[in-house]
Amino acid sequence: MDRLIYTALSGMQSSMAQQRVIASNMANAQTLGFKAELLDQRPVTIKGDSLEVRAMQHAEVRGARMDTGEVVETGQPLDVSIKGDALMAVQAEDGTEAYTRRGDLAIAPTGLLTTGDGHPVIGDGGPITIPLGGKPAIAPDGTVTVTDPTQPDAPAQEVGRIKLAGWQGSPVLKGLDGLFRVEDGGVLPRDEEATLQTGSLEQSNVKPTEVLVEMIDAQRLFAMRTKMISTAREVDESGASLMRMT
Amino acid sequence: MPVSALQVARTGLEAQDARMRVVANNLANVGTTGFKRDRANFATLAYQDARIAGQRSSGETAYATGLNLGTGVAIQSTSQIVTQGALNTTGNALDLALDGEGYFQVQLPGGQLGYTRAGNFTRSAEGQVVTQQGYILQPAITVPEGATAIAVSQDGIVSAQLPGQTEATELGQLQIASFANPAGLRAIGDNFLVETGASGAAQLAPGGENGRGSIRQGMLEASNVNIVEELVDMIETQRAYEINSKMVSAVDEMLRNANQTL
């Protein structure tokens, strides 16, 4: 009785996990600022005195593909896309600083400037608040100014500057809320060079054609690994029939 | 595990389906006075962590990263894109268009106030200025019997020539409402919006002041739906739906394969 069947099974499970990651990427092909997730598959062997003959297959999501999605003009004053590869700082549910590429900003009833999925945008002094009734405008360097419509001649007031953080050199991971964080905690420094483009939005970086290919790939690999199990069964059966005395 | 890949693909199908409804509604309202197009917003669903970073992988080592698997996507909200629609001249005295921001305020049945950009008003049997549905414009303006040459200025002062008078008589002034977050208004049908917690309370001011648009008499604002843009969105949605449905059949194929081979 060979243990091949377990090795093949671990492969089947990995293929299924892979298909699930691909499905999740595909489902988010229209989500603003979404970064495709990467599945990392590796053989796992037991170190020891025995011969290393069995490599279990192990798969996990390790990170995301950080290339920029397509930028689409919308003409809305509160839609911003980040040029280059900086990340925009937002406040996560737990109050910590996290990062996103999603730039469809809106003003909450409390006056907080938030992303489309409701996370407050962080400036130098915490979340940025727009005074009630003020008309916000966002400059390319992230500075948010507000003009009071009741005083058209008054100069615009600066209410904060959106923090754009560079992450090159510090590994970022996607957390369970879909936001990016520094791998071992901490915050990223502001990238003074990073700029925003208002009136446009960055789309998801999932490429449907790539996804289709990956999908077929995972599907066929799963079939091969299934085949492996049925082959293992045949091998076992022939071994068993050899052992029969009658 | 196998079921979840199917479920993830299903969320994609549902989200695209909802987006198609938004596009269809925009296209259907291409001829609606004062209509503002909606944009569908998607958000990733929660992630499940099969393993948290820092968990023990052995006696001496810990996993450096967690294993997070996305559970798909959901349509999160629709937001109104409040760009100006084109102004078309009609020549009717009580057709009013807003050139710029703001809303006309009307009294809905049931006492609630409604807000609209559709300014095709008429005169009711009692002489009040009302919408096509008969809802009274607020603040109420009454046009007496036999009044001629009704004029509405850019800041909303309504005047008319009354029988037996040589001078025009001022009948009242319109107020234009604006909101801290107009995208947060809730559409209730019939071109009307109502305020919500997200939009903030209405602030009234005459037309052309405090950032309000000026009132243009004898014109109507057309829908701001751009047919070409909507058609592109429609094709995009259709293709995304197709790919997600391919995903469902791929997972199905995998499960069938496992069933038949094993």
Side-chain angles (χ1 to χ4, degrees):
Chain A
M1 183 69 196
D2 192 77
R3 295 283 181 270
L4 168 65
I5 196 166
Y6 295 101
T7 316
L9 180 67
S10 74
M12 276 174 75
Q13 281 168 338
S14 285
S15 278
M16 222 5 137
Q18 185 183 11
Q19 196 68 307
R20 187 177 155 179
V21 172
I22 295 167
S24 177
N25 283 344
M26 191 58 242
N28 283 295
Q30 313 270 340
T31 306
L32 294 172
F34 181 80
K35 296 290 172 225
E37 280 143 28
L38 296 168
L39 190 82
D40 169 61
Q41 303 195 66
R42 56 183 56 196
V44 180
T45 54
I46 309 271
K47 300 277 178 228
D49 300 333
S50 63
L51 223 70
E52 276 191 36
V53 287
R54 307 208 181 284
M56 292 288 187
Q57 171 70 228
H58 174 78
E60 59 182 27
V61 174
R62 281 218 171 255
R65 234 182 41 215
M66 298 301 282
D67 56 328
T68 307
E70 197 184 336
V71 175
V72 173
E73 286 288 321
T74 63
Q76 300 294 307
L78 287 179
D79 284 348
V80 296
S81 62
I82 306 163
K83 287 185 187 166
D85 51 11
L87 293 166
M88 187 168 68
V90 294
Q91 194 173 36
E93 301 282 326
D94 56 4
T96 57
E97 187 170 312
Y99 305 94
T100 183
R101 291 280 298 186
R102 182 170 182 152
D104 55 334
L105 305 183
I107 304 165
T110 53
L112 278 178
L113 186 68
T114 64
T115 58
D117 45 3
H119 298 291
V121 177
I122 294 182
D124 290 322
I128 297 173
T129 309
I130 309 288
L132 192 67
K135 285 272 166 282
I138 301 170
D141 68 347
T143 307
V144 184
T145 54
V146 173
T147 47
D148 188 350
T150 56
Q151 296 163 319
D153 305 331
Q157 296 290 321
E158 187 180 328
V159 291
R161 184 169 163 218
I162 296 171
K163 180 176 171 185
L164 297 173
W167 57 277
Q168 300 301 13
S170 27
V172 287
L173 290 174
K174 212 182 217 187
L176 295 183
D177 46 8
L179 299 172
F180 291 98
R181 285 184 179 75
V182 187
E183 190 164 335
D184 22 15
V187 293
L188 293 171
R190 177 189 278 281
D191 179 359
E192 293 293 343
E193 303 298 302
T195 54
L196 293 170
Q197 188 179 347
T198 51
S200 64
L201 285 175
E202 185 186 342
Q203 307 293 309
S204 166
N205 73 347
V206 175
K207 296 185 182 64
T209 45
E210 265 178 38
V211 170
L212 279 176
V213 173
E214 283 173 4
M215 183 182 90
I216 294 165
D217 204 23
Q219 192 184 342
R220 294 296 167 225
L221 192 59
F222 182 88
M224 286 178 207
R225 287 165 165 171
T226 320
K227 188 98 178 122
M228 206 71 205
I229 292 186
S230 67
T231 311
R233 182 169 61 191
E234 282 167 25
V235 170
D236 273 354
E237 276 172 0
S238 55
S241 69
L242 271 179
M243 300 301 284
R244 282 195 201 109
M245 301 302 286
T246 51
Chain B
M1 219 33 161
V3 181
S4 58
L6 277 176
Q7 295 292 4
V8 171
R10 183 185 60 89
T11 63
L13 287 176
E14 278 173 7
Q16 296 307 333
D17 190 56
R19 184 176 183 210
M20 198 55 129
R21 278 187 60 180
V22 173
V23 173
N25 185 53
N26 286 346
L27 276 172
N29 283 295
V30 72
T32 308
T33 303
F35 180 81
K36 300 288 172 220
R37 65 180 291 256
D38 287 319
R39 179 170 81 190
N41 300 320
F42 294 111
T44 49
L45 282 172
Y47 283 76
Q48 282 179 313
D49 50 345
R51 192 179 57 235
I52 302 164
Q55 260 181 347
R56 291 260 157 248
S57 53
S58 73
E60 297 81 43
T61 54
Y63 286 112
T65 58
L67 166 53
N68 308 337
L69 288 172
T71 51
V73 68
I75 190 154
Q76 179 195 26
S77 63
T78 57
S79 47
Q80 272 208 337
I81 304 298
V82 289
T83 50
Q84 178 78 31
L87 299 183
N88 297 330
T89 307
T90 63
N92 295 334
L94 287 177
D95 278 349
L96 307 177
L98 280 170
D99 185 2
E101 285 180 36
Y103 299 88
F104 296 110
Q105 183 177 260
V106 301
Q107 182 81 50
L108 298 175
Q112 205 179 7
L113 288 172
Y115 300 91
T116 183
R117 299 270 307 180
N120 43 349
F121 298 106
T122 56
R123 196 171 156 276
S124 70
E126 293 79 41
Q128 282 166 316
V129 177
V130 294
T131 64
Q132 300 298 314
Q133 296 84 354
Y135 304 158
I136 299 164
L137 186 64
Q138 296 291 325
I141 289 170
T142 307
V143 181
E145 197 73 39
T148 52
I150 300 167
V152 182
S153 69
Q154 296 201 352
D155 53 1
I157 295 172
V158 185
S159 57
Q161 188 76 32
L162 300 185
Q165 304 265 344
T166 49
E167 294 282 311
T169 312
E170 194 176 313
L171 303 171
Q173 180 164 22
L174 292 178
Q175 297 281 335
I176 303 301
S178 91
F179 297 88
N181 178 22
L185 290 166
R186 187 164 63 90
I188 55 164
D190 278 346
N191 285 343
F192 293 112
L193 302 158
V194 290
E195 66 180 55
T196 63
S199 67
Q203 293 140 24
L204 296 173
E209 290 178 27
N210 298 357
R212 311 286 191 285
S214 8
I215 298 167
R216 307 268 180 230
Q217 191 186 11
M219 288 184 155
L220 284 178
E221 186 185 4
S223 161
N224 73 346
V225 174
N226 173 343
I227 295 188
V228 178
E229 197 177 359
E230 296 303 329
L231 287 177
V232 169
D233 269 6
M234 186 174 88
I235 293 165
E236 210 178 36
T237 309
Q238 193 182 352
R239 291 289 171 236
Y241 190 92
E242 219 173 307
I243 295 179
N244 276 300
S245 65
K246 274 208 167 53
M247 192 81 221
V248 173
S249 50
V251 179
D252 180 38
E253 183 63 36
M254 281 161 78
L255 295 173
R256 179 184 311 135
N257 181 292
N259 269 331
Q260 286 173 348
T261 317
L262 300 183

